[in-house]
Amino acid sequence: MESMAGAARRLRLLLRSTAVLYLLAAAFLLGSAGVLYSRFTFAAFSDSYTPPSPGCRPDGEGSWSIGLFYGESPLKLQPLELREMWRNESAAWPVANPVFTCASVLDARSPSNFVADPFLHILGDTFYLFFETKNSITLQGDIGVARSTDQGATWKYLGIALDEEWHLSYPYVFSHEDQIFMMPESSKKGELHLYRAVDFPLQWKLEKVILKKPLVDSFIINHNGYYWLFGSDFSAFGAKKNGELEIWYSSSPLGPWKPHKQNPVYNTDKSLGARNAGRPFVYNDILYRTGQDCGETYGRRIRLFQVKVLTPDNYEEVEIPFGIEEPRKGRNAWNGARYHHLDVQKLPSGEWVGVMDGDRVPSGDSVRRLILGYIAFGLVTILVIVSGVLVSAIKCIVPLSWCLPISAKRSDSISQRRSYFQLYPKLRWLFTHLNRLGSPLQGRINPNNCSGRSLLALILIVVLALTCIGTHHVYGGNGAEVAYPVNGQYSQFTLLTMTYDARIWNLKMFIKHYSRCSSVREIVVVWNKGQPPVNSDFDSAVPVRIRIEDRNSLNNRFKADPLIKTRAVLELDDDIMMTCDDVERGFRVWREHPDRIVGFYPRLANGNPLQYRDERYARQQNGYNMILTGAAFIDSKLAFDMYWSELAKEGREFVDKKFNCEDVLLNFLYVNASKPGKTVEYVRPSWAIDTSKFTGAAISKNTQVHYQVRSECLVKFAKMYGNLAANKWSFNGRTDGWDV
């Protein structure tokens, strides 16, 4: 009991020591800094729609997904969204890439971390998609298959077509003599296998071992009287990884195969496209091959080659421009970091269709982020301890009494007691040297003078910066603000803003930021007065269209525009800045409720006569009945037709008279035209900044006068279209928690 009391007493003294108090204070300060940093830089809301599953986990190999492309030529392919495929019943207007992701692999036994290496097999009007899927449990590549009966707009996952004991990828599928064959990469097995479909598309039988070589990314093509086999053997002596290519030829796809006289035809720099990147194709009687540029990172981009000579003795090809535009949205784009595989085929209609994989992060990104994050946290720990020693908060002296021998029990063996006594001198030597190293640092900084406080402030700044860096890399994800799918599909919207010449500086910042948001297809600038800018003034990742108006009117915001190709329009004032993730969440909610105004600024109109109230008042009353269209999603056809109808003519004239209230009018029109039910939907942004507060360039700069005018509008519109006060909806009514 006496020894336990002594231990408790020593523990209390330790907890009251300056060292412990200093370390606890540092942990609290830096922990708070990390939490605040993450609060303002990371997405504040999780995607509660996605059920917990082992799939789609961060993977060192990437986050590959698959997109669809169409074109009149294989050299001029455009992404699916430009085809304007509308699938109203699936909540996509229009359907956008990617069309297939790891979340599409709905199999609890074989969840997927990513999908890549897509190949198409087309039977009539049905598309079959074969791809590599990395199993989240075994971390092994298997071959999955999906089917589409609507030209690739939607896909149904069918299951795993091929699962071996070794890694599989690159499922090259082709037909020969009314049979369907698959030749996946199986380099881990050390052989190239050919499988035949016995019950297409899910049952396959090993037909033959093509070559006893660990070939990577191989294909077979019938051209000029021979069957040609292209593949890479990185295991060969002197072979350069991702830079080696070999060719074989035969009179049959089943072999036997003879090596090309020039083998290896390439053994060069990995950035030059030697490694195959999908199915070759023939266009205008010319053979084309795709190759991977792996220079910056594995699978950085696709290179396209025109084959000039292909004979058993000679091979020659020249590079030509790749016909797909490089993505410009960075990590917010599904293929913003890299794309490394393309399969393009001609349809009976004469049109060409292609599938391509893409990734938003480079190879090894998740591992790299963790390493950098933990290095930053390690440096923080070292700096905190060293600074504690420098100010004498931590005594860098280890008591040598810790090294005194303790009494051993009589039952201990002689050899065990001897080993104890041999250890004490070694510990004493170690602690003595530690004390000597720490002594010169002890108390070297005096926090009571100016120089000492300046040095401590500098150390604090460095420690806080390292804490934010570590938090960013470990907890911040890959930095992408990506789209949210609805029913497994993605879509795009048009961003429309209205401005004039006094706010051009703000418009440049606005366009640069929002053009990088994942689902933005085009930005339309409604120019009301002054000298309009030109497109070269803007740094934009999407097309920007300046729509010059004849007169300065707020009604121009809702004018019908036949050039808008999306059903969804985000009306957004150019002085509102919020994260792309906030915008994407709002877009997801609108896609679930396209008949509503879905936005980020709720308001409440109540009283007799009606009065215009701000968000604070609405929250006090726990309800809202209007959404400001300065930041809101609307149905372009529904809203614009309604606003420019004959019914709304008197309201538009009142808007011109007051130069205010166009958004109030649209809220009244929605209530008047809709069936009983909710017409507005609020989505809370994690943060939003009104930049007009810094310049005063806004019609609402005098809040009291602005609200008074809006109250007049409420009274006027209530007489025209009926009272909307009864349509009050409470906050926190959604199950996702995005409207708290």
Side-chain angles (χ1 to χ4, degrees):
M1 292 293 293
E2 187 175 338
S3 61
M4 291 180 61
R9 183 167 58 255
R10 286 193 294 271
L11 179 61
R12 286 195 296 271
L13 291 174
L14 178 64
L15 294 176
R16 295 174 183 173
S17 66
T18 56
V20 172
L21 293 176
Y22 168 80
L23 292 175
L24 289 175
F28 176 78
L29 173 64
L30 298 178
S32 300
V35 170
L36 287 174
Y37 175 80
S38 63
R39 173 65 181 84
F40 289 104
T41 55
F42 305 161
F45 301 89
S46 62
D47 181 9
S48 59
Y49 284 82
T50 303
S53 72
C56 292
R57 292 178 174 176
D59 195 289
E61 293 188 80
S63 56
W64 297 94
S65 54
I66 298 171
L68 196 68
F69 295 77
Y70 277 93
E72 61 183 21
S73 157
L75 307 180
K76 296 180 180 179
L77 295 175
Q78 292 185 320
L80 177 70
E81 47 267 26
L82 298 185
R83 189 177 169 86
E84 299 175 17
M85 297 177 69
W86 292 49
R87 298 286 300 176
N88 290 10
E89 65 272 19
S90 61
W93 306 271
V95 178
N97 284 324
V99 295
F100 205 85
T101 70
C102 54
S104 306
V105 181
L106 305 175
D107 190 337
R109 295 171 300 174
S110 303
S112 176
N113 275 11
F114 63 76
V115 292
D117 292 355
F119 282 100
L120 281 175
H121 190 77
I122 302 173
L123 295 176
D125 295 330
T126 303
F127 292 179
Y128 290 92
L129 178 69
F130 292 86
F131 52 90
E132 174 197 352
T133 170
K134 184 174 181 180
N135 189 298
S136 303
I137 300 172
T138 65
L139 300 183
Q140 175 180 285
D142 301 322
I143 304 304
V145 60
R147 180 179 61 211
S148 174
T149 57
D150 54 11
Q151 297 185 306
T154 59
W155 293 87
K156 180 181 179 181
Y157 175 66
L158 301 179
I160 298 297
L162 197 59
D163 180 6
E164 297 283 17
E165 295 179 359
W166 52 87
H167 171 83
L168 296 173
S169 62
Y170 206 85
Y172 182 71
V173 179
F174 65 98
S175 297
H176 174 66
E177 295 182 351
D178 297 326
Q179 298 287 327
I180 302 176
F181 294 90
M182 181 199 301
M183 189 176 68
E185 179 197 320
S186 52
S187 59
K188 293 295 183 182
K189 180 66 173 176
E191 300 171 339
L192 182 60
H193 290 184
L194 183 67
Y195 296 83
R196 178 173 54 86
V198 294
D199 188 4
F200 185 85
L202 287 173
Q203 292 186 22
W204 299 79
K205 178 183 179 181
L206 178 62
E207 184 75 8
K208 189 173 184 179
V209 176
I210 292 288
L211 285 176
K212 291 186 176 296
K213 291 174 70 70
L215 290 187
V216 173
D217 295 355
S218 304
F219 64 74
I220 294 174
I221 185 170
N222 185 3
H223 186 67
N224 286 346
Y226 287 100
Y227 285 90
W228 302 93
L229 169 63
F230 284 61
S232 299
D233 182 4
F234 300 145
S235 68
F237 179 76
K240 296 182 179 180
K241 187 174 182 180
N242 298 323
E244 200 260 12
L245 179 65
E246 300 178 28
I247 303 175
W248 289 263
Y249 63 95
S250 173
S251 59
S252 166
L254 302 180
W257 296 95
K258 297 178 182 180
H260 193 277
K261 187 176 180 179
Q262 291 180 314
N263 273 350
V265 295
Y266 284 129
N267 194 27
T268 184
D269 186 270
K270 61 184 179 181
S271 66
L272 298 181
R275 180 172 180 171
N276 291 323
R279 187 189 305 269
F281 59 90
V282 176
Y283 179 62
N284 290 339
D285 297 324
I286 298 174
L287 177 63
Y288 295 86
R289 184 186 72 88
T290 54
Q292 294 186 44
D293 176 351
C294 297
E296 302 169 35
T297 181
Y298 167 68
R300 171 61 188 90
R301 61 175 59 86
I302 295 172
R303 293 184 180 275
L304 183 61
F305 300 93
Q306 183 183 111
V307 177
K308 292 289 190 178
V309 179
L310 177 56
T311 69
D313 297 328
N314 294 294
Y315 180 72
E316 181 184 345
E317 65 182 13
V318 294
E319 185 173 5
I320 64 171
F322 186 56
I324 297 178
E325 185 179 354
E326 184 88 7
R328 298 181 57 192
K329 294 188 178 184
R331 296 195 174 196
N332 289 356
W334 68 277
N335 58 346
R338 50 185 180 158
Y339 47 95
H340 82 333
H341 182 102
L342 174 69
D343 179 16
V344 58
Q345 298 186 40
K346 189 175 183 179
L347 297 173
S349 64
E351 193 175 24
W352 289 78
V353 61
V355 284
M356 186 172 74
D357 60 10
D359 196 354
R360 63 182 75 257
V361 295
S363 178
D365 179 77
S366 60
V367 176
R368 189 180 303 110
R369 283 188 283 107
L370 287 177
I371 291 174
L372 292 175
Y374 287 131
I375 288 175
F377 285 146
L379 292 174
V380 167
T381 302
I382 293 172
L383 284 176
V384 167
I385 294 174
V386 170
S387 60
V389 173
L390 290 172
V391 298
S392 296
I394 297 177
K395 305 295 182 182
C396 192
I397 298 176
V398 181
L400 296 180
S401 59
W402 290 6
C403 304
L404 293 178
I406 59 173
S407 59
K409 297 181 180 179
R410 292 182 180 271
S411 60
D412 293 342
S413 66
I414 296 176
S415 60
Q416 186 176 358
R417 280 183 284 171
R418 184 180 294 117
S419 64
Y420 285 153
F421 283 105
Q422 289 174 348
L423 178 63
Y424 297 135
K426 296 178 181 178
L427 289 175
R428 187 180 183 89
W429 178 89
L430 176 63
F431 290 164
T432 300
H433 281 75
L434 286 175
N435 291 341
R436 288 177 182 174
L437 289 174
S439 296
L441 299 176
Q442 200 76 46
R444 294 297 298 270
I445 295 180
N446 184 359
N448 296 320
N449 58 40
C450 183
S451 60
R453 286 194 293 269
S454 299
L455 184 56
L456 286 176
L458 178 61
I459 293 175
L460 178 62
I461 292 173
V462 172
V463 167
L464 288 174
L466 287 172
T467 299
C468 293
I469 291 173
T471 303
H472 175 80
H473 283 91
V474 175
Y475 300 105
N478 59 30
E481 293 183 286
V482 302
Y484 290 82
V486 173
N487 295 336
Q489 289 185 273
Y490 297 88
S491 187
Q492 292 185 321
F493 62 87
T494 301
L495 191 154
L496 187 146
T497 189
M498 188 168 61
T499 190
Y500 59 103
D501 54 357
R503 298 154 69 107
I504 186 66
W505 70 271
N506 201 84
L507 182 63
K508 291 181 179 180
M509 178 176 63
F510 177 95
I511 289 177
K512 181 177 181 179
H513 170 66
Y514 287 112
S515 69
R516 269 74 179 176
C517 294
S518 180
S519 299
V520 174
R521 173 171 173 174
E522 179 190 32
I523 296 177
V524 177
V525 179
V526 178
W527 194 260
N528 267 355
K529 71 173 183 178
Q531 182 65 33
V534 294
N535 284 356
S536 59
D537 292 336
F538 304 114
D539 175 8
S540 178
V542 300
V544 176
R545 179 161 56 91
I546 311 297
R547 198 179 82 197
I548 303 173
E549 300 293 345
D550 296 332
R551 55 192 291 264
N552 185 13
S553 170
L554 296 181
N555 292 318
N556 294 332
R557 178 191 293 272
F558 304 120
K559 183 180 291 187
D561 188 339
L563 296 181
I564 292 177
K565 302 302 182 182
T566 63
R567 180 173 173 182
V569 168
L570 172 59
E571 296 273 359
L572 187 62
D573 289 346
D574 66 333
D575 51 18
I576 300 297
M577 299 298 293
M578 63 179 70
T579 67
C580 285
D581 185 67
D582 288 331
V583 171
E584 295 295 345
R585 286 187 295 108
F587 185 39
R588 174 166 190 165
V589 174
W590 179 85
R591 291 176 67 196
E592 295 170 335
H593 306 286
D595 56 336
R596 301 176 186 175
I597 301 174
V598 177
F600 305 93
Y601 289 91
R603 293 294 185 263
L604 180 65
N606 66 356
N608 190 14
L610 284 176
Q611 291 189 353
Y612 182 82
R613 307 286 192 170
D614 61 11
E615 182 177 344
R616 179 181 299 179
Y617 179 84
R619 290 190 176 278
Q620 291 173 352
Q621 301 298 314
N622 191 31
Y624 62 96
N625 51 23
M626 291 197 305
I627 291 292
L628 298 190
T629 57
F633 285 94
I634 57 176
D635 181 326
S636 57
K637 181 171 177 54
L638 173 67
F640 295 168
D641 288 352
M642 189 187 305
Y643 195 87
W644 286 91
S645 65
E646 187 64 26
L647 175 67
K649 181 179 179 181
E650 188 178 354
R652 294 196 304 273
E653 293 172 350
F654 195 75
V655 168
D656 279 335
K657 178 181 178 181
K658 295 293 184 179
F659 203 75
N660 204 325
C661 303
E662 80 286 357
D663 50 351
V664 178
L665 174 58
L666 187 66
N667 275 268
F668 270 92
L669 294 174
Y670 261 75
V671 172
N672 181 268
S674 303
K675 298 177 182 178
K678 198 170 185 179
T679 58
V680 291
E681 192 81 42
Y682 167 61
V683 178
R684 178 190 173 189
S686 55
W687 57 262
I689 299 174
D690 184 353
T691 59
S692 68
K693 303 298 184 184
F694 306 118
T695 64
I699 64 173
S700 58
K701 58 185 177 181
N702 188 326
T703 303
Q704 185 174 356
V705 173
H706 178 63
Y707 278 33
Q708 182 179 344
V709 172
R710 288 185 156 244
S711 294
E712 294 176 16
C713 293
L714 288 173
V715 174
K716 180 71 173 179
F717 295 154
K719 293 179 180 178
M720 296 179 183
Y721 309 110
N723 197 333
L724 55 65
N727 295 292
K728 177 182 174 183
W729 309 101
S730 63
F731 294 96
N732 199 20
R734 292 178 54 84
T735 57
D736 54 27
W738 291 353
D739 62 342
V740 293

